Amino acid sequence: MLRERLRPMTESKLQPFTERVLRIIKEIPEGYVMTYGQIAAAAGSPIGARQGVRILHLMSKAHKLP
């Protein structure tokens, strides 16, 4: 049961905030940086920095993120 919850989500099951965070991260030009707070704010949740960290940690390999 725990493994199912920890398994990376597919594109079709992503929450809107998660989709926005992934899109924003993919659009950051090479050589530029954004803080987790900036990413969360750009995705519509100025207090969602920790969720942005979690999204990046859990999905970076599956979505080929930096």
Side-chain angles (χ1 to χ4, degrees):
M1 187 112 178
L2 181 60
R3 282 190 166 174
E4 289 177 10
R5 289 190 300 158
L6 296 177
R7 188 175 300 141
M9 299 172 78
T10 62
E11 291 280 344
S12 62
K13 296 181 182 180
L14 298 178
Q15 296 294 318
F17 178 73
T18 302
E19 290 177 354
R20 290 190 302 266
V21 167
L22 292 173
R23 180 181 44 79
I24 290 165
I25 292 171
K26 289 177 183 179
E27 291 176 357
I28 299 172
E30 187 174 339
Y32 288 83
V33 296
M34 287 180 78
T35 66
Y36 295 117
Q38 290 171 326
I39 293 168
S45 177
I47 60 170
R50 286 186 176 205
Q51 186 63 25
V53 171
R54 184 168 173 78
I55 291 166
L56 186 58
H57 173 73
L58 293 175
M59 301 187 167
S60 61
K61 288 182 183 177
H63 293 275
K64 298 180 180 156
L65 301 173

XYZ file of all heavy atoms in Angstrom:
521
model
N 0.815 -1.188 0.000
C 0.000 0.000 0.000
C 0.865 1.261 0.000
O 0.607 2.183 -0.736
C -0.914 -0.030 1.222
C -1.907 1.053 1.238
S -3.476 0.248 1.022
C -4.555 1.578 1.118
N 1.894 1.287 0.843
C 2.776 2.447 0.916
C 3.502 2.658 -0.403
O 3.664 3.782 -0.854
C 3.776 2.284 2.053
C 4.755 3.429 2.260
C 3.995 4.717 2.552
C 5.711 3.125 3.382
N 3.912 1.562 -1.045
C 4.609 1.686 -2.329
C 3.736 2.360 -3.374
O 4.212 3.127 -4.185
C 5.046 0.323 -2.839
C 6.258 -0.193 -2.156
C 6.750 -1.406 -2.862
N 8.091 -1.663 -2.372
C 8.799 -2.699 -2.675
N 8.288 -3.605 -3.479
N 9.996 -2.856 -2.201
N 2.456 2.058 -3.370
C 1.544 2.669 -4.342
C 1.469 4.177 -4.134
O 1.404 4.933 -5.083
C 0.152 2.057 -4.222
C 0.090 0.637 -4.717
C -1.273 0.019 -4.531
O -2.226 0.751 -4.190
O -1.392 -1.191 -4.718
N 1.482 4.621 -2.891
C 1.414 6.056 -2.616
C 2.705 6.763 -2.999
O 2.697 7.924 -3.349
C 1.111 6.307 -1.149
C -0.300 5.947 -0.777
C -0.654 6.412 0.581
N 0.237 5.797 1.566
C 0.469 6.280 2.767
N -0.104 7.384 3.157
N 1.264 5.669 3.602
N 3.830 6.070 -2.935
C 5.117 6.692 -3.227
C 5.503 6.605 -4.693
O 6.435 7.258 -5.119
C 6.223 6.053 -2.366
C 6.076 6.248 -0.866
C 7.185 5.512 -0.142
C 6.093 7.716 -0.500
N 4.788 5.801 -5.456
C 5.087 5.652 -6.874
C 4.831 6.972 -7.595
O 3.831 7.633 -7.343
C 4.207 4.557 -7.463
C 4.572 4.193 -8.884
C 3.766 3.019 -9.381
N 4.002 1.863 -8.538
C 3.055 1.013 -8.179
N 1.819 1.165 -8.582
N 3.345 -0.017 -7.419
N 5.761 7.402 -8.486
C 5.547 8.666 -9.210
C 4.233 8.649 -9.980
O 3.845 7.646 -10.555
C 6.728 8.736 -10.178
C 7.760 7.844 -9.583
C 7.009 6.762 -8.843
N 3.571 9.780 -9.972
C 2.296 9.907 -10.665
C 2.529 10.107 -12.154
O 3.524 10.670 -12.568
C 1.523 11.092 -10.100
C 1.207 10.948 -8.635
S 0.516 12.451 -7.962
C -1.138 12.336 -8.558
N 1.591 9.655 -12.943
C 1.682 9.875 -14.375
C 1.091 11.241 -14.707
O 0.389 11.834 -13.911
C 0.911 8.783 -15.149
O -0.452 8.860 -14.787
C 1.475 7.409 -14.865
N 1.366 11.727 -15.889
C 0.880 13.040 -16.322
C -0.635 13.173 -16.170
O -1.136 14.210 -15.798
C 1.259 13.295 -17.782
C 2.736 13.497 -18.022
C 3.194 14.903 -17.691
O 2.354 15.810 -17.564
O 4.394 15.097 -17.567
N -1.366 12.120 -16.460
C -2.824 12.214 -16.454
C -3.414 12.339 -15.046
O -4.558 12.718 -14.898
C -3.430 11.000 -17.157
O -3.084 9.824 -16.458
N -2.650 12.016 -14.005
C -3.172 12.043 -12.644
C -2.649 13.227 -11.837
O -2.876 13.290 -10.643
C -2.801 10.754 -11.928
C -3.421 9.520 -12.508
C -3.029 8.310 -11.723
C -3.617 7.050 -12.319
N -3.238 5.861 -11.551
N -1.965 14.143 -12.450
C -1.359 15.246 -11.713
C -2.384 16.305 -11.327
O -3.308 16.599 -12.075
C -0.250 15.895 -12.544
C 0.932 15.002 -12.899
C 1.912 15.774 -13.768
C 1.618 14.478 -11.664
N -2.178 16.873 -10.165
C -2.999 17.992 -9.706
C -2.613 19.248 -10.496
O -1.474 19.358 -10.971
C -2.766 18.224 -8.213
C -3.213 17.066 -7.344
C -4.713 16.883 -7.392
O -5.480 17.832 -7.355
N -5.152 15.632 -7.495
N -3.502 20.208 -10.623
C -3.196 21.422 -11.390
C -1.944 22.157 -10.885
O -1.132 22.609 -11.694
C -4.446 22.279 -11.209
C -5.543 21.303 -10.963
C -4.907 20.181 -10.189
N -1.764 22.269 -9.568
C -0.574 22.949 -9.035
C 0.687 22.203 -9.440
O 1.680 22.810 -9.841
C -0.656 23.074 -7.511
C 0.558 23.724 -6.900
C 0.774 25.090 -7.054
C 1.481 22.988 -6.179
C 1.892 25.695 -6.497
C 2.589 23.587 -5.625
C 2.794 24.945 -5.781
N 0.643 20.876 -9.374
C 1.801 20.061 -9.759
C 2.120 20.256 -11.231
O 3.287 20.412 -11.601
C 1.533 18.576 -9.460
O 1.255 18.425 -8.062
C 2.718 17.713 -9.835
N 1.113 20.264 -12.076
C 1.329 20.484 -13.508
C 1.975 21.841 -13.758
O 2.898 21.954 -14.570
C 0.007 20.397 -14.266
C -0.563 19.011 -14.339
C -1.921 18.974 -15.031
O -2.473 20.046 -15.354
O -2.425 17.867 -15.251
N 1.500 22.877 -13.053
C 2.068 24.218 -13.237
C 3.519 24.264 -12.765
O 4.374 24.854 -13.435
C 1.214 25.249 -12.505
C -0.141 25.468 -13.148
C -0.882 26.664 -12.572
N -1.103 26.583 -11.139
C -2.201 26.107 -10.570
N -3.192 25.657 -11.316
N -2.324 26.103 -9.258
N 3.811 23.632 -11.630
C 5.193 23.611 -11.121
C 6.107 22.919 -12.126
O 7.188 23.428 -12.445
C 5.266 22.931 -9.735
C 6.701 22.612 -9.353
C 4.626 23.815 -8.669
N 5.712 21.777 -12.632
C 6.531 21.053 -13.602
C 6.765 21.886 -14.862
O 7.883 21.936 -15.393
C 5.884 19.715 -13.957
C 5.848 18.681 -12.837
C 5.031 17.469 -13.263
C 7.249 18.266 -12.424
N 5.707 22.550 -15.338
C 5.849 23.381 -16.547
C 6.823 24.525 -16.303
O 7.692 24.808 -17.126
C 4.483 23.923 -16.975
C 4.543 24.795 -18.229
C 3.190 25.341 -18.618
N 2.388 25.852 -17.527
C 2.567 27.070 -16.962
N 3.519 27.855 -17.393
N 1.785 27.472 -15.977
N 6.702 25.172 -15.150
C 7.584 26.297 -14.823
C 9.033 25.839 -14.716
O 9.930 26.482 -15.250
C 7.107 26.987 -13.526
C 5.787 27.719 -13.786
C 8.167 27.943 -12.983
C 5.043 28.115 -12.530
N 9.260 24.719 -14.055
C 10.629 24.209 -13.904
C 11.223 23.891 -15.264
O 12.388 24.199 -15.527
C 10.650 22.986 -12.974
C 10.311 23.420 -11.541
C 12.003 22.294 -13.012
C 10.085 22.283 -10.574
N 10.427 23.288 -16.145
C 10.922 22.953 -17.483
C 11.244 24.199 -18.306
O 12.066 24.148 -19.215
C 9.902 22.092 -18.226
C 9.799 20.689 -17.674
C 8.713 19.908 -18.392
C 8.561 18.520 -17.803
N 7.495 17.756 -18.463
N 10.590 25.328 -18.000
C 10.786 26.556 -18.770
C 11.938 27.422 -18.261
O 12.260 28.426 -18.895
C 9.496 27.372 -18.766
C 8.384 26.724 -19.558
C 7.072 27.490 -19.473
O 6.994 28.504 -18.744
O 6.113 27.069 -20.138
N 12.560 27.051 -17.143
C 13.682 27.841 -16.632
C 14.861 27.658 -17.588
O 15.301 26.526 -17.820
C 14.084 27.400 -15.203
C 12.924 27.602 -14.237
C 15.323 28.164 -14.734
C 13.155 27.017 -12.855
N 15.368 28.738 -18.159
C 16.478 28.620 -19.107
C 17.737 28.083 -18.428
O 17.961 28.320 -17.236
C 16.715 30.057 -19.583
C 15.507 30.823 -19.179
C 14.923 30.122 -18.005
N 18.534 27.375 -19.179
C 19.798 26.849 -18.664
C 20.666 28.003 -18.171
O 20.785 29.033 -18.828
C 20.538 26.081 -19.758
C 21.766 25.364 -19.252
C 22.402 24.505 -20.312
O 21.730 24.136 -21.292
O 23.598 24.200 -20.166
N 21.238 27.839 -16.997
C 22.078 28.873 -16.421
C 21.343 29.832 -15.501
O 21.952 30.668 -14.851
N 20.021 29.742 -15.449
C 19.216 30.594 -14.578
C 18.689 29.773 -13.401
O 18.603 28.544 -13.486
C 18.024 31.189 -15.349
C 18.441 32.244 -16.334
C 18.898 31.898 -17.599
C 18.380 33.584 -16.005
C 19.291 32.855 -18.516
C 18.765 34.554 -16.916
C 19.228 34.181 -18.160
O 19.616 35.136 -19.053
N 18.351 30.452 -12.334
C 17.807 29.773 -11.160
C 16.553 30.481 -10.679
O 16.350 31.663 -10.947
C 18.826 29.719 -9.991
C 20.037 28.897 -10.371
C 19.246 31.115 -9.566
N 15.720 29.730 -9.992
C 14.550 30.269 -9.302
C 14.491 29.580 -7.953
O 14.792 28.390 -7.851
C 13.252 29.976 -10.060
C 13.034 30.787 -11.308
S 11.466 30.368 -12.150
C 10.284 31.248 -11.115
N 14.091 30.314 -6.927
C 13.911 29.697 -5.628
C 12.617 28.896 -5.638
O 11.750 29.103 -6.497
C 13.842 30.745 -4.503
O 12.660 31.531 -4.674
C 15.080 31.644 -4.504
N 12.491 27.989 -4.675
C 11.251 27.222 -4.571
C 10.073 28.155 -4.329
O 8.980 27.930 -4.834
C 11.353 26.189 -3.444
C 12.391 25.134 -3.707
C 13.490 24.993 -2.869
C 12.278 24.261 -4.785
C 14.446 24.022 -3.095
C 13.240 23.287 -5.031
C 14.322 23.172 -4.177
O 15.264 22.216 -4.416
N 10.286 29.211 -3.573
C 9.232 30.187 -3.316
C 8.807 30.908 -4.583
O 7.615 31.156 -4.790
N 9.771 31.250 -5.433
C 9.443 31.911 -6.698
C 8.653 30.976 -7.614
O 7.704 31.395 -8.278
C 10.722 32.375 -7.399
C 11.410 33.525 -6.717
C 12.785 33.802 -7.316
O 13.491 32.886 -7.756
N 13.166 35.074 -7.313
N 9.052 29.715 -7.642
C 8.349 28.738 -8.466
C 6.920 28.565 -7.963
O 5.968 28.576 -8.745
C 9.092 27.385 -8.473
C 10.437 27.542 -9.207
C 8.248 26.289 -9.114
C 11.373 26.367 -9.038
N 6.760 28.423 -6.653
C 5.428 28.244 -6.068
C 4.549 29.465 -6.350
O 3.380 29.325 -6.709
C 5.537 27.994 -4.573
N 5.110 30.660 -6.188
C 4.346 31.882 -6.443
C 3.931 31.963 -7.910
O 2.789 32.312 -8.229
C 5.157 33.107 -6.048
N 4.841 31.615 -8.818
C 4.523 31.643 -10.243
C 3.457 30.601 -10.593
O 2.692 30.779 -11.535
C 5.786 31.404 -11.067
N 3.386 29.524 -9.809
C 2.398 28.477 -10.045
C 1.062 28.783 -9.366
O 0.125 28.007 -9.485
C 2.931 27.132 -9.552
N 1.012 29.898 -8.637
C -0.251 30.313 -8.052
C -0.400 30.110 -6.561
O -1.469 30.316 -6.016
N 0.667 29.687 -5.884
C 0.577 29.474 -4.435
C 1.835 30.038 -3.770
O 2.827 29.325 -3.604
C 0.440 27.987 -4.115
O 0.414 27.795 -2.720
N 1.807 31.301 -3.360
C 2.993 31.925 -2.774
C 3.504 31.226 -1.519
O 4.662 31.394 -1.161
C 2.537 33.343 -2.440
C 1.226 33.537 -3.074
C 0.682 32.205 -3.449
N 2.658 30.436 -0.863
C 3.113 29.732 0.339
C 3.364 28.244 0.066
O 3.513 27.447 0.985
C 2.107 29.900 1.502
C 0.750 29.334 1.116
C 2.009 31.349 1.926
C -0.226 29.252 2.276
N 3.455 27.848 -1.190
C 3.606 26.441 -1.560
C 5.023 26.003 -1.850
O 5.226 25.025 -2.566
N 6.019 26.687 -1.287
C 7.415 26.349 -1.574
C 7.755 24.916 -1.186
O 8.429 24.203 -1.935
C 8.355 27.324 -0.886
N 7.300 24.480 -0.032
C 7.608 23.110 0.403
C 6.989 22.070 -0.523
O 7.587 21.024 -0.781
C 7.137 22.878 1.832
C 8.012 23.566 2.831
C 7.609 23.199 4.228
N 8.538 23.810 5.159
C 8.783 23.351 6.360
N 8.148 22.273 6.790
N 9.634 23.954 7.145
N 5.818 22.339 -1.027
C 5.195 21.425 -1.974
C 6.011 21.395 -3.273
O 6.171 20.346 -3.880
C 3.748 21.816 -2.258
C 3.007 20.834 -3.123
C 2.872 19.465 -2.484
O 2.901 19.317 -1.269
N 2.747 18.451 -3.302
N 6.540 22.542 -3.681
C 7.406 22.589 -4.861
C 8.647 21.738 -4.680
O 9.070 21.042 -5.603
N 9.231 21.773 -3.494
C 10.400 20.931 -3.181
C 10.013 19.469 -3.324
O 10.735 18.676 -3.930
C 10.913 21.210 -1.753
C 11.974 20.201 -1.353
C 11.447 22.620 -1.635
N 8.886 19.104 -2.760
C 8.435 17.708 -2.808
C 8.174 17.248 -4.247
O 8.560 16.152 -4.641
C 7.173 17.553 -1.970
C 6.670 16.138 -1.867
C 5.601 16.046 -0.792
N 4.978 14.752 -0.757
C 5.505 13.662 -0.213
N 6.694 13.717 0.325
N 4.858 12.524 -0.221
N 7.543 18.096 -5.028
C 7.279 17.767 -6.431
C 8.591 17.534 -7.175
O 8.745 16.548 -7.889
C 6.459 18.887 -7.106
C 5.047 18.912 -6.525
C 6.427 18.716 -8.629
C 4.264 20.163 -6.870
N 9.532 18.440 -6.999
C 10.814 18.302 -7.687
C 11.544 17.045 -7.232
O 12.097 16.308 -8.053
C 11.682 19.544 -7.444
C 12.992 19.599 -8.210
C 12.755 19.510 -9.711
C 13.731 20.879 -7.887
N 11.520 16.770 -5.940
C 12.198 15.587 -5.413
C 11.585 14.296 -5.954
O 12.310 13.391 -6.373
C 12.146 15.590 -3.879
C 12.665 14.338 -3.259
N 14.007 14.037 -3.224
C 12.021 13.308 -2.672
C 14.167 12.863 -2.634
N 12.969 12.408 -2.281
N 10.271 14.207 -5.960
C 9.606 12.972 -6.358
C 9.519 12.759 -7.869
O 9.415 11.624 -8.327
C 8.191 12.927 -5.764
C 8.106 12.803 -4.247
C 6.656 12.901 -3.792
C 8.730 11.506 -3.780
N 9.560 13.837 -8.634
C 9.281 13.705 -10.057
C 10.430 14.109 -10.977
O 10.270 14.090 -12.185
C 8.046 14.519 -10.409
C 6.845 14.072 -9.644
S 5.397 14.918 -10.233
C 4.139 13.930 -9.466
N 11.567 14.458 -10.415
C 12.637 14.973 -11.271
C 13.144 13.936 -12.266
O 13.401 14.270 -13.426
C 13.786 15.514 -10.421
O 14.345 14.495 -9.624
N 13.282 12.695 -11.874
C 13.762 11.672 -12.807
C 12.709 11.316 -13.843
O 13.006 11.224 -15.036
C 14.195 10.424 -12.042
C 15.462 10.597 -11.269
C 15.873 9.332 -10.586
C 17.127 9.569 -9.754
N 17.523 8.371 -9.024
N 11.482 11.145 -13.406
C 10.406 10.748 -14.317
C 10.128 11.798 -15.386
O 9.751 11.485 -16.502
C 9.121 10.454 -13.533
N 10.329 13.078 -15.030
C 10.031 14.168 -15.973
C 11.294 14.834 -16.518
O 11.220 15.873 -17.145
C 9.143 15.197 -15.278
C 7.786 14.660 -14.973
N 6.765 14.672 -15.885
C 7.281 14.070 -13.860
C 5.689 14.105 -15.344
N 5.983 13.734 -14.123
N 12.442 14.210 -16.254
C 13.737 14.703 -16.745
C 13.947 16.179 -16.406
O 14.217 16.999 -17.274
C 13.860 14.459 -18.235
C 13.805 12.983 -18.564
C 13.917 12.729 -20.038
C 13.856 11.223 -20.243
N 13.414 10.824 -21.511
N 13.795 16.494 -15.123
C 13.980 17.854 -14.647
C 15.410 18.026 -14.131
O 16.046 17.061 -13.731
C 12.994 18.161 -13.517
C 11.517 18.023 -13.879
C 10.665 18.184 -12.637
C 11.134 19.042 -14.927
N 15.896 19.271 -14.105
C 17.258 19.502 -13.607
C 17.368 19.234 -12.119
O 16.422 19.224 -11.399
C 17.486 20.979 -13.901
C 16.141 21.571 -14.128
C 15.236 20.454 -14.530
